[in-house]
Amino acid sequence: MFQISKLRNAVVLIAAVIIPIIIVYAEAEQDSGNRIACFPLMEIDNDQTLDSAFCQSKGCIYDDAGENVKCYLPLDGSKSYGYQHNSTVNAGDGTYIEHQLQRRQDTPSLYGGDYEKVKFKVTFYGDKMLRFTFYQDGSSIENNQPPVGLNLPIPTAPSDTSDYIVKISDSIEGGPFDFVIRRRSTDQIILDTKLGGLTIAKQFLMISFALPSEHLYGIGENTHDSFTHNMNYKMHPIFARDQPPGDGEMNLYGSHPFYMVSEDDGSSHGVFLFNSHAIDVTTLPYPGLTYRTIGGGLDFFVFLGPKPEDVVKQYTGVIGRTMMPAYWSLGFQISRYGYTGTNDIREVVERTHNAGIPQDVQYADIDHMDNQADFTLGPTFLDLPEFVKEQAVGGLRFIPILDPAINTEKTNIDYPTHTNAMLAGAYITWFNDTLQPNSDCSAFPDDCQPLDNVMLGYVWPDGRTAFPDFFKNETQVWWKKEMKTFHDLLPYDGIWIDMNEPAAFDTNKEKPFNYPPDKHPWNLICPVNEWDDPPYITLSASRSDTNRLSDKTICMVGRQGQNDEHLHYAVHNLYGWSQTKPTYEGLQAATGKRGVVITRSTFPSSGKHAGHWLGDNTSRWKDLHSSIIGSLEFNLFGIPYIGADICGFFVNSTEQLCERWMELGAFYPFARNHNSLGTDPQDPAIWPSVASASRTALNIRYRLLPYLYTLFYHSHTSGSTVVRPLYHEYPTDVRAKSIDGQFLWGPALLISPVLTENTTQLGAYLPADTWYDYYTGKKEETSGTDVTWNTPLDKINLHVRGGYILPQQLEALNTKLSRQNNFTMIVALNSDKAAAGDLFWDDGETIDTISTKQYHYIRFSYTETIVNGVAIEGVLNMQVQVNTSSSNGLEYLKMDSALIYGLEKSPKSINAGIFDYNADTKVANLFNLARPMTSNWEVVLTF
């Protein structure tokens, strides 16, 4: 008996008894942008063994003339590859649908270990969110999930007017399986799996979607040349690695398998893959996406928006909202790797102060430690605690760095940190004795592992290092105790955690690059095994020096978890995430204040406990631009406290680049100047021109901090972005969808920096709306078009959007001082001659002020009374919505002045204070208002 299946490009003849399968191929079809590569890494590496014979032996089609994909799956998608319906369909109670699937017998196995029977489940969470999951029959969704808690609502059947429609292919037994999600209002495809490629195997999972638009955003953490993705078969690896940003689609420090798409009508949706394994995501020109991962499940959440900000709110509602940063952490910060002692730090602080440049935070990198050992002070930093206490009186805060790797061989000083860790059983261990290298360093000096079953590597300290397992309760307790003990010595205000991918230097090579030359070469060498060397090795591994997942990190056969339940293979991308929460809790326990944590490695929900910087960038103009793209992406990822190393980390910065970068960096949510060992100092007071430009830009930042802090309040409570792309506010503007050289603070402040060398005429885009020059208050004559602005070296372009009120406060040299100053505001009128805004205010550092109602929340508005088409009165109004009885300083402050932009004529009188009016710019300046900040009031303008 024979079964014949006719394919578009092939005829497959399957014998019931005879094996192998005989495949006869027709010519390859023209590439329509929907090819799913069978062996993408071989293509990227130009592997000569990938020829027609090899390709066709795997059931794939070969096109020697293919420019991007030569070896690919048959183009009739789910009809010839993947899964088919089995007989069981469970419709549930309206909150879910479940299908039993059977692997197609004519489907080739690309990497082995394919599961024959699979379940597919769709779960509904009301009208704007759903989830779909594939998992092995006999297992469960929970078995494949990362150990990360999500805030999932109770499943709810969608209504007849839900935002989406789910259509699954006819469930005839043996019929090909695929499904599509559409937007009900437009019938627009959200995603469609008819492209094929569905694979569910032990160590290889793949799925492809057709998308409704090429306007794709997100997917990280990677280096991207533009905010809108290149859809021409670009593969983006997702695997946390000690990899600085560079050129090409590189995997960096974190893992964020979340994307957003802007549809043709301006609606947006988002899709989140809940998986912590190594992942490769490939764009398809069709347009579409292909996901490949080496474990876990294909577990996707879909958020229907429809507004772009709605998508981010829905996503962060599931993964968790951002932490509320301390007010002082929004001030300017200075750091560098290369301070030789406390005196170096003192000199930086003094010259910054003497130049009149605001500064709120000073850092110390690993230089401050004794031979790079956590929770120690080096001999030239023994006076650092006294300096920190001295500076704290004037308002300067201090943040030291902590790396996770702990020196296990420290002998020059007593080092209880390691001793305590061993007593707590805090370290990652080997999976079993068979995989652990020999412990006898006399007999096996090159790769011995001499500390019981603890996995040892090498990082910055001058000895073998162990890696804490933060999934263990005992490890978290130990870490917090070490933080408290260190705070008793050095009274820090925040913590910076680095190298937490985790990084291990030159794993699998003869020795680390920084290994002591007088010692016999040694390194962490991972044994060959199915976890360190899976059948599909991923793009991140194929680009590494050793072609192994463990390159630059520890072995995938590490054992983790409270009950040793996790392989490092499955939770590698969670290492930084697992360290962040206990660090945040340890910080607050040690200081008794809110503080802030900055982490390098992140995962969805890391923003609940920390901010992030974009890593070890380079002092070049391209990285200046990339910093905007990265900041926009991390706001999508739910980590809005974000910024790049201002002026660049690697290579000496030029004066002009640093000047432009300080201007842009003044508008990062996290604004820190930082550079590397061996480079010249670049703190802003080094060059007079940079100092002048920094003063100007940072004074504006400090003036706007009440507005920025209020944006973080909204992000913390509702999940909105802080820094956002233009298309979030103008979703139907096609031009705005591709803008990534400009950005917004919230909905109201447009920032347009110069990003190229020797440029003083900036070409930019101004969306169709009412816009005012921040500096003059004058209305822009044109909008909805490209514009050119004169932008000398000491200026960054800023524009205020009509219809908004921006609360401001008079600037000072740090936030301790500026928070004592009176308020002012900008009232930017829209075409209806109205504006509105708000202000969140607490003491800036107490923990959980929002949940305990220890804050003020205030709304501002301006409206005009029109009679017979003529304005006769304008009313500026303040309403206190939430009024706390606890003191936070607001009761001592006044609303001192207001600038009204776009006022068509001069008032005749005002009921409070005095005013002047500029008929050329149409700006009214109200001053000497002396209005209280804790009670309601009105300022009435009579025309």
Side-chain angles (χ1 to χ4, degrees):
M1 180 183 296
F2 295 89
Q3 176 184 352
I4 299 177
S5 175
K6 294 183 178 180
L7 307 180
R8 181 184 301 175
N9 297 318
V11 175
V12 182
L13 182 64
I14 304 175
V17 178
I18 301 173
I19 295 178
I21 298 170
I22 300 172
I23 306 173
V24 181
Y25 288 89
E27 293 184 1
E29 293 186 5
Q30 181 178 354
D31 187 353
S32 298
N34 58 343
R35 290 183 175 180
I36 301 171
C38 293
F39 304 98
L41 304 181
M42 297 178 73
E43 302 220 21
I44 290 173
D45 294 338
N46 198 25
D47 190 328
Q48 297 303 305
T49 62
L50 182 62
D51 56 16
S52 60
F54 177 85
C55 177
Q56 293 176 7
S57 72
K58 295 294 186 177
C60 302
I61 299 171
Y62 189 77
D63 176 11
D64 189 56
E67 293 184 6
N68 296 290
V69 180
K70 295 181 183 295
C71 181
Y72 57 94
L73 292 174
L75 291 178
D76 50 2
S78 60
K79 293 181 181 179
S80 61
Y81 182 95
Y83 286 79
Q84 63 192 26
H85 288 279
N86 210 330
S87 57
T88 304
V89 177
N90 188 344
D93 57 0
T95 63
Y96 71 94
I97 302 171
E98 191 173 75
H99 285 243
Q100 295 275 359
L101 308 179
Q102 175 76 40
R103 184 168 175 266
R104 295 182 62 90
Q105 294 306 303
D106 53 356
T107 292
S109 179
L110 297 177
Y111 297 95
D114 298 77
Y115 293 131
E116 296 299 320
K117 293 185 177 181
V118 167
K119 287 186 177 181
F120 169 70
K121 185 175 183 179
V122 181
T123 305
F124 304 110
Y125 297 98
D127 288 354
K128 294 183 179 294
M129 172 180 155
L130 68 155
R131 176 186 194 178
F132 64 90
T133 310
F134 297 89
Y135 57 99
Q136 181 189 10
D137 189 32
S139 183
S140 68
I141 295 174
E142 291 71 25
N143 285 348
N144 293 322
Q145 286 182 351
V148 176
L150 299 180
N151 305 318
L152 293 180
I154 297 172
T156 305
S159 70
D160 293 339
T161 58
S162 66
D163 282 23
Y164 56 86
I165 299 171
V166 179
K167 181 172 176 51
I168 300 172
S169 56
D170 293 337
S171 54
I172 302 170
E173 186 171 355
F177 167 81
D178 56 64
F179 72 98
V180 61
I181 303 172
R182 294 181 180 272
R183 186 175 296 280
R184 185 183 298 274
S185 61
T186 61
D187 202 38
Q188 178 75 67
I189 288 173
I190 298 299
L191 59 85
D192 188 345
T193 65
K194 287 188 180 68
L195 291 179
L198 180 62
T199 307
I200 314 293
K202 180 183 177 181
Q203 287 184 273
F204 182 72
L205 300 91
M206 179 168 69
I207 192 170
S208 294
F209 307 146
L211 300 177
S213 162
E214 72 277 8
H215 291 113
L216 172 73
Y217 312 93
I219 306 172
E221 181 179 6
N222 302 104
T223 300
H224 297 141
D225 290 335
S226 61
F227 184 47
T228 308
H229 278 287
N230 181 338
M231 300 302 292
N232 191 31
Y233 293 111
K234 292 293 184 181
M235 180 178 278
H236 302 282
I238 300 177
F239 187 69
R241 176 158 287 162
D242 176 18
Q243 175 62 58
D247 299 321
E249 295 72 41
M250 307 173 74
N251 57 298
L252 305 182
Y253 312 103
S255 171
H256 292 276
F258 171 78
Y259 72 78
M260 282 182 63
V261 170
S262 177
E263 301 156 35
D264 291 342
D265 73 333
S267 298
S268 290
H269 68 268
V271 177
F272 167 44
L273 171 58
F274 189 36
N275 188 306
S276 58
H277 289 72
I279 301 168
D280 289 336
V281 184
T282 303
T283 62
L284 307 177
Y286 189 71
L289 286 175
T290 297
Y291 285 84
R292 298 174 177 89
T293 183
I294 58 174
L298 295 178
D299 187 7
F300 290 90
F301 291 84
V302 182
F303 308 96
L304 273 296
K307 296 178 182 178
E309 286 293 297
D310 292 339
V311 175
V312 179
K313 291 176 182 178
Q314 291 157 8
Y315 175 52
T316 57
V318 168
I319 65 170
R321 311 288 196 209
T322 183
M323 54 83 191
M324 187 68 194
Y327 194 93
W328 55 261
S329 71
L330 302 183
F332 178 57
Q333 311 178 31
I334 296 178
S335 177
R336 80 156 295 156
Y337 175 27
Y339 294 134
T340 62
T342 304
N343 282 339
D344 282 0
I345 296 177
R346 185 184 298 275
E347 289 176 5
V348 170
V349 170
E350 288 180 352
R351 69 171 167 254
T352 303
H353 183 272
N354 292 340
I357 299 170
Q359 183 188 3
D360 261 88
V361 185
Q362 178 62 50
Y363 282 73
D365 207 319
I366 56 175
D367 324 282
H368 81 276
M369 304 174 183
D370 186 273
N371 291 316
Q372 293 80 47
D374 277 354
F375 306 114
T376 66
L377 294 176
T380 60
F381 288 90
L382 295 178
D383 57 344
L384 183 59
E386 211 50 48
F387 172 76
V388 169
K389 294 173 186 175
E390 165 196 317
Q391 292 297 318
V393 175
L396 186 69
R397 311 286 180 149
F398 182 76
I399 295 180
I401 195 172
L402 291 174
D403 291 343
I406 302 298
N407 192 345
T408 66
E409 298 178 328
K410 192 158 188 59
T411 57
N412 67 312
I413 62 171
D414 181 42
Y415 192 48
T417 294
H418 167 57
T419 305
N420 295 338
M422 289 296 293
L423 291 172
Y427 294 137
I428 293 174
T429 58
W430 288 91
F431 181 79
N432 57 33
D433 294 340
T434 303
L435 292 170
Q436 180 177 351
N438 199 288
S439 62
D440 185 354
C441 289
S442 299
F444 301 90
D446 296 345
D447 65 342
C448 58
Q449 290 281 315
L451 189 62
D452 298 331
N453 63 345
V454 173
M455 184 178 290
L456 299 176
Y458 201 86
V459 197
W460 291 120
D462 58 346
R464 298 182 180 98
T465 57
F467 300 84
D469 177 7
F470 292 101
F471 283 106
K472 291 183 176 180
N473 295 331
E474 296 84 354
T475 304
Q476 296 183 29
V477 171
W478 157 79
W479 184 253
K480 292 173 188 177
K481 285 182 178 178
E482 297 299 321
M483 289 182 65
K484 177 64 169 66
T485 300
F486 191 52
H487 185 267
D488 292 342
L489 171 66
L490 180 68
Y492 55 78
D493 301 281
I495 289 291
W496 169 23
I497 48 178
D498 192 12
M499 310 294 289
N500 56 351
E501 292 74 32
F505 291 154
D506 293 324
T507 300
N508 299 315
K509 296 183 179 180
E510 179 188 20
K511 64 178 181 178
F513 76 91
N514 60 335
Y515 199 71
D518 57 340
K519 290 186 177 182
H520 183 86
W522 174 91
N523 210 346
L524 170 61
I525 307 295
C526 302
V528 175
N529 62 84
E530 63 181 319
W531 309 114
D532 285 279
D533 308 281
Y536 177 79
I537 64 171
T538 75
L539 180 57
S540 59
S542 73
R543 281 183 169 173
S544 70
D545 291 340
T546 62
N547 287 328
R548 306 187 73 191
L549 282 175
S550 47
D551 182 79
K552 292 189 175 183
T553 187
I554 63 175
C555 303
M556 298 298 108
V557 288
R559 179 72 83 177
Q560 292 186 248
Q562 190 65 39
N563 300 301
D564 293 336
E565 66 269 31
H566 304 306
L567 264 176
H568 188 72
Y569 176 85
V571 297
H572 170 83
N573 283 339
L574 298 178
Y575 192 86
W577 172 89
S578 69
Q579 184 191 17
T580 301
K581 183 173 183 284
T583 302
Y584 191 51
E585 293 172 347
L587 167 69
Q588 295 187 343
T591 65
K593 302 293 184 181
R594 194 185 311 164
V596 71
V597 172
I598 304 298
T599 179
R600 190 166 79 171
S601 187
T602 58
F603 188 80
S605 80
S606 288
K608 291 164 57 177
H609 306 110
H612 174 64
W613 88 106
L614 294 170
D616 298 342
N617 58 5
T618 301
S619 298
R620 57 180 185 167
W621 292 90
K622 179 181 179 182
D623 286 38
L624 179 67
H625 182 198
S626 296
S627 72
I628 299 176
I629 298 168
S631 296
L632 293 174
E633 289 179 339
F634 270 87
N635 271 263
L636 300 187
F637 299 153
I639 307 178
Y641 189 71
I642 182 71
D645 286 345
I646 297 173
C647 298
F649 182 75
F650 290 122
V651 186
N652 291 329
S653 180
T654 66
E655 183 174 354
Q656 185 186 145
L657 175 61
C658 197
E659 186 170 359
R660 288 300 194 194
W661 212 324
M662 281 298 303
E663 292 165 358
L664 170 59
F667 296 92
Y668 295 153
F670 168 51
R672 183 185 69 165
N673 183 307
H674 177 59
N675 64 323
S676 180
L677 181 72
T679 56
D680 294 339
Q682 64 181 34
D683 49 280
I686 289 292
W687 295 286
S689 66
V690 177
S692 176
S694 300
R695 245 189 333 267
T696 300
L698 287 171
N699 279 339
I700 295 171
R701 176 191 181 89
Y702 273 69
R703 206 174 305 151
L704 286 164
L705 284 184
Y707 174 64
L708 180 60
Y709 195 52
T710 302
L711 292 177
F712 270 101
Y713 162 73
H714 289 302
S715 184
H716 176 72
T717 56
S718 68
S720 56
T721 60
V722 173
V723 164
R724 65 188 60 162
L726 273 63
Y727 94 90
H728 274 220
E729 294 298 317
Y730 303 94
T732 61
D733 185 336
V734 176
R735 181 84 169 83
K737 292 183 181 185
S738 61
I739 297 294
D740 57 22
Q742 302 166 262
F743 60 96
L744 292 156
W745 266 14
L749 184 69
L750 176 64
I751 297 108
S752 305
V754 169
L755 303 173
T756 53
E757 191 173 12
N758 299 327
T759 299
T760 56
Q761 297 296 310
L762 177 66
Y765 179 69
L766 203 57
D769 211 329
T770 302
W771 294 98
Y772 300 94
D773 185 299
Y774 175 86
Y775 300 96
T776 66
K778 190 170 184 177
K779 181 181 174 182
E780 290 289 331
E781 295 180 358
T782 60
S783 67
T785 186
D786 290 333
V787 294
T788 300
W789 292 313
N790 182 42
T791 313
L793 283 174
D794 59 354
K795 180 183 179 182
I796 183 170
N797 297 288
L798 303 172
H799 289 83
V800 183
R801 183 182 178 187
Y804 289 90
I805 295 177
L806 275 59
Q808 299 190 117
Q809 198 171 24
L810 300 178
E811 66 272 16
L813 286 177
N814 58 50
T815 57
K816 180 178 181 178
L817 300 175
S818 69
R819 283 178 59 90
Q820 301 174 44
N821 291 339
N822 282 334
F823 285 84
T824 180
M825 65 168 68
I826 292 175
V827 182
L829 304 185
N830 60 17
S831 58
D832 295 326
K833 301 305 172 187
D838 58 352
L839 171 68
F840 170 83
W841 192 263
D842 62 4
D843 68 5
E845 61 181 5
T846 296
I847 301 168
D848 294 332
T849 59
I850 296 172
S851 61
T852 58
K853 299 291 185 183
Q854 298 180 65
Y855 67 92
H856 287 86
Y857 180 69
I858 297 165
R859 288 190 181 276
F860 305 103
S861 66
Y862 176 88
T863 56
E864 290 185 352
T865 301
I866 309 294
V867 176
N868 296 326
V870 177
I872 62 170
E873 184 179 82
V875 178
L876 181 60
N877 179 282
M878 183 181 115
Q879 294 282 331
V880 180
Q881 306 285 310
V882 178
N883 199 339
T884 178
S885 59
S886 60
S887 175
N888 57 31
L890 195 62
E891 62 271 26
Y892 304 115
L893 305 180
K894 306 291 184 183
M895 179 61 69
D896 194 55
S897 62
L899 291 170
I900 303 180
Y901 294 172
L903 201 64
E904 290 298 329
K905 58 183 177 181
S906 175
K908 294 179 180 177
S909 63
I910 186 172
N911 72 334
I914 54 179
F915 71 92
D916 60 37
Y917 180 75
N918 187 317
D920 178 49
T921 60
K922 299 187 183 306
V923 174
N925 181 10
L926 318 182
F927 50 98
N928 292 345
L929 295 178
R931 298 294 89 190
M933 292 300 298
T934 55
S935 58
N936 301 340
W937 48 257
E938 289 184 349
V939 173
V940 180
L941 289 70
T942 303
F943 299 110

